Amino acid sequence: MIWFRRVLIIPLSIILLLVLSSVLLVTQVNDTLGNPRFYNDQMSRNDMYAFIHEGVLPAALDDFETNGYAEDMPVRITAIGDDLIAAAGKILPARWLQDSFESGTEAVIPYLTGSRDSFTYTLVLKDRVETASAVVKSDILGADAFGILYQDLVDYITRNMHEEFQDLPAELTLTLAEIEESMERIAPADWLVDRLEVLLDSITPYLTGETDFFAFETGLEGRVDAIASVVIDLLCRPETYDYFLEQVLVPEIMQELESTICLPYGVAVSAEEVECAVRTVLPLSWMRETLAEIVGSLANYIKGESASLGAVIDLSDEKEAIKNSVAALANEKMADLLCSLPVCTMAQFLQIVSALPPYTLPGCRPLELSCDELRAYLEIEFGAYVEQAIIDDIPDKIALDGEDIRLLLGDSAIDFVDRARELVADYSTVDENDLAQLLGRDGMEELQDMRSTIAQGYTVTDSDLREIIGVEEDQAAFDDARRWIGTTRSWLWAFWLIPFAGLVPIGLLGGRTWRTRLIWAFAALFFAALIVYIAVAVSYPVLLEPRIEELSLEASGDSHIEAALVLKGNALMESAATTFTSGLKNKILMLMAGSGAVLVGAGLWPLIRKRIGEDQLDSGSSGSSGSSSDG
């Protein structure tokens, strides 16, 4: 009869094995996938927060360069990659990433597992924006990184301006080196750093929602005079001087003059000779002063101090010098003409001169007088003649309008001046209204949403999650799943009653006394746990590891960031599986240890009971001997 009863234990033990396996598996799933600490531990164990700075960001920079995005940038971002990564580490440190992730799992996982009916998770961003502003000022603008960016920016602008100014007259052509040096003078690095720091200080409170307005002084108006100084230095060179005379001054001066100007006594002065005289009395130093006035008028136009583009060249002081130079030339010609006269005696000469008509030369010249002395004797001086025939036709002032300056400098230069005027007029001070005009209605709405998110934090609730799920049918299925998971978790303790309740019939069928029944019951539990442990230990390398390898992700292209994420994702998957299996094995070992302790206790109970009985007997014998002695 006893053997029949013990044969019945076999199917009960099999059922116990299946039930125990199921309860252990459900418990481990609850303790891992249903526990925020599991995800948090996995992230920490695999250094995911450090990986973002050490793996993701470097890979992103590599992709930025290899995919050609860097070619479209005016500066080399990859050249300061280490500085950017270090700055990112200060703006979003690993500790902040960890706290943000863990607070997220602790809010969302209980909702997904049905422990809560709602959740609200807020990612605080305001302090990160403020930190970013401080880090950019200290680690980028105030470090060597900005020197690299500044040089790249100067090179980029230099190349563009060199291409843009291709239509300048050949005499005004600028080299790359000249443009680069000019850019460094117009917008020096320390000035640009100061303006960028002011911009950060102005716009950061606006972005964080502390203020609803901001005003940034760009300082562009203050750089116009620096631009004027640079332009003057660039233009004041011999090539420009020749071009300026030939294209501007000489045409204006000579437009009223004939090609040959006839003076009294048969002296003639050509236009070329007048032009040569002009060059003599208008040196390079004069041109620098004149160009300074022209460029100054351009600067006033850019700053909005004058309504139109124009300049005035004043020649009133130079006309006297031009007259004297041409008169001296005419006097020389007169002297040469007198020297060509036949020689005669002084008496003959005086007789001829006494009856000489006005503006007529004598027929001979005396040897006693030199050519210049003869001209002086005849009182021939061309100053007044030159003034009447030439100087009076030269304007006192030459007015250059916008079209004249456009012809002088070229279309691209004037277009640059017009753009500079617009920039100074529109962006000397930039505020929230300018930003709204720049971004447009849609862009401004996005900006306001971003400001609200920064000020209040990025908040995700169960409503947002349900909106992502979509249609009501899917939401209902999601709620049903949460409900079943929650019910299972709340009754998980009751599931453990099933295998322990199964120990009762096994013990009653296998033993005759309470001790033997206890031994049979917990022996069945011990061996069932042992079988489960062996099954888990064997199945992991044989079944689970190959399956994990099959599920491992592979990078689909040449993306460095994808390769890094795939590699880390596979490591995370393997770590999660290992942690799950180790936790399951630990639970089984604890169950085996507990059942083994009960078995050892039940097996040793007779010896313990016998020992207790002997101790009581010895105690009783000692008590009897003491009583007899006392009697």
Side-chain angles (χ1 to χ4, degrees), residues 57 87 135 168 174 214 254 257 533 536 573 589 595 617 630:
L57 293 182
V135 170
L168 285 175
L174 303 176
F214 74 92
M254 304 296 296
L257 300 180
Y533 183 88
V536 171
M573 187 188 307
L589 289 175
S595 59
L617 181 60
D630 293 338

Side-chain angles (χ1 to χ4, degrees), residues 84-361:
L84 293 176
I85 292 172
K90 294 181 179 180
I91 297 171
L92 302 175
R95 185 62 192 177
W96 181 86
L97 294 173
Q98 181 176 357
D99 291 342
S100 300
F101 179 82
E102 291 180 355
S103 60
T105 57
E106 290 170 0
V108 176
I109 297 301
Y111 172 77
L112 296 178
T113 57
S115 299
R116 298 176 185 171
D117 293 331
S118 62
F119 77 89
T120 299
Y121 169 67
T122 299
L123 182 64
V124 179
L125 297 173
K126 181 178 179 180
D127 61 332
R128 294 302 95 201
V129 174
E130 294 171 343
T131 300
S133 177
V135 170
V136 169
K137 287 194 292 185
S138 62
D139 290 21
I140 302 298
L141 299 181
D144 295 338
F146 183 77
I148 299 174
L149 295 179
Y150 176 77
Q151 190 58 53
D152 288 348
L153 186 61
V154 169
D155 292 342
Y156 174 78
I157 297 176
T158 297
R159 291 192 301 270
N160 285 350
M161 291 187 66
H162 187 261
E163 295 176 358
E164 186 175 351
F165 288 162
Q166 287 300 312
D167 67 338
L168 285 175
E171 294 79 0
L172 302 181
T173 300
L174 303 176
T175 65
L176 285 171
E178 289 174 329
I179 298 176
E180 180 176 350
E181 181 183 359
S182 301
M183 289 305 305
E184 292 175 351
R185 289 176 56 187
I186 293 171
D190 54 351
W191 175 83
L192 190 56
V193 167
D194 176 71
R195 290 297 89 200
L196 291 174
E197 289 180 346
V198 172
L199 174 61
L200 288 173
D201 291 337
S202 301
I203 203 169
T204 298
Y206 176 75
L207 292 177
T208 58
E210 292 185 6
T211 62
D212 292 328
F213 55 87
F214 74 92
F216 167 57
E217 299 289 341
T218 62
L220 293 177
E221 186 174 357
R223 303 312 301 169
V224 175
D225 292 335
I227 296 175
S229 176
V230 169
V231 171
I232 293 171
D233 290 342
L234 289 175
L235 292 180
C236 288
R237 52 187 180 178
E239 298 86 356
T240 310
Y241 171 72
D242 294 337
Y243 175 78
F244 185 66
L245 286 179
E246 294 172 2
Q247 300 297 324
V248 179
L249 290 181
V250 171
E252 290 289 339
I253 292 174
M254 304 296 296
Q255 65 179 347
E256 299 294 335
L257 300 180
E258 298 179 357
S259 59
T260 301
I261 300 94
C262 296
L263 300 175
Y265 301 102
V267 175
V269 178
S270 67
E272 290 78 7
E273 291 173 324
V274 175
E275 179 179 337
C276 182
V278 170
R279 288 178 178 274
T280 302
V281 301
L282 300 179
L284 185 62
S285 59
W286 173 87
M287 190 199 72
R288 180 181 180 87
E289 297 176 357
T290 303
L291 283 177
E293 295 179 2
I294 296 176
V295 173
S297 66
L298 291 177
N300 293 334
Y301 174 74
I302 292 175
K303 289 187 289 186
E305 296 177 0
S306 59
S308 60
L309 187 61
V312 175
I313 301 175
D314 190 352
L315 294 176
S316 57
D317 293 338
E318 283 70 31
K319 288 176 65 175
E320 183 68 21
I322 296 174
K323 182 192 74 172
N324 294 336
S325 178
V326 176
L329 176 63
N331 290 335
E332 290 179 2
K333 289 188 174 187
M334 186 72 257
D336 294 339
L337 186 60
L338 291 174
C339 286
S340 64
L341 295 176
V343 178
C344 62
T345 64
M346 178 61 72
Q348 293 173 329
F349 172 75
L350 293 175
Q351 184 180 1
I352 294 173
V353 169
S354 63
L356 190 66
Y359 303 109
T360 304
L361 294 177

Side-chain angles (χ1 to χ4, degrees), residues 351-576:
Q351 184 180 1
I352 294 173
V353 169
S354 63
L356 190 66
Y359 303 109
T360 304
L361 294 177
C364 63
R365 63 182 180 87
L367 288 175
E368 291 83 356
L369 299 175
S370 67
C371 297
D372 286 333
E373 291 174 341
L374 178 60
R375 181 182 61 80
Y377 179 84
L378 296 174
E379 298 180 350
I380 300 176
E381 177 58 51
F382 282 93
Y385 304 138
V386 168
E387 183 168 0
Q388 181 179 4
I390 299 176
I391 302 304
D392 288 347
D393 291 333
I394 296 177
D396 292 337
K397 294 182 179 180
I398 299 176
L400 302 179
D401 57 15
E403 189 60 30
D404 295 327
I405 296 178
R406 181 179 293 275
L407 293 174
L408 173 64
L409 300 180
D411 292 338
S412 60
I414 299 303
D415 291 342
F416 176 79
V417 169
D418 290 335
R419 290 199 304 271
R421 175 182 171 87
E422 292 177 1
L423 286 174
V424 171
D426 297 338
Y427 297 107
S428 292
T429 300
V430 177
D431 56 20
E432 68 282 356
N433 297 322
D434 297 315
L435 189 60
Q437 185 176 1
L438 179 65
L439 296 178
R441 180 176 179 180
D442 294 339
M444 198 61 188
E445 289 180 356
E446 294 178 1
L447 177 62
Q448 295 298 347
D449 291 340
M450 183 185 72
R451 292 180 61 233
S452 177
T453 300
I454 293 174
Q456 302 175 13
Y458 180 73
T459 300
V460 179
T461 65
D462 53 292
S463 299
D464 298 319
L465 180 58
R466 298 177 69 83
E467 185 177 347
I468 294 174
I469 293 174
V471 297
E472 293 183 1
E473 291 80 0
D474 294 338
Q475 293 183 13
F478 174 69
D479 290 335
D480 291 339
R482 288 180 54 248
R483 202 160 29 247
W484 277 105
I485 294 173
T487 301
T488 302
R489 285 169 54 86
S490 62
W491 287 95
L492 187 59
W493 63 271
F495 293 161
W496 278 98
L497 297 178
I498 298 174
F500 281 100
L503 298 180
V504 175
I506 293 175
L508 293 175
L509 292 174
R512 291 190 177 92
T513 65
W514 288 110
R515 186 179 68 84
T516 57
R517 289 168 181 165
L518 195 63
I519 290 175
W520 272 96
F522 280 89
L525 180 62
F526 178 84
F527 284 106
L530 179 60
I531 293 172
V532 175
Y533 183 88
I534 295 173
V536 171
V538 172
S539 64
Y540 180 75
V542 175
L543 299 177
L544 292 180
E545 281 189 347
R547 182 58 178 164
I548 292 174
E549 292 180 0
E550 293 178 3
L551 295 175
S552 296
L553 303 173
E554 293 184 1
S556 59
D558 298 330
S559 172
H560 294 84
I561 189 170
E562 182 181 355
L565 290 174
V566 165
L567 184 63
K568 199 65 174 179
N570 291 336
L572 191 61
M573 187 188 307
E574 183 178 354
S575 173

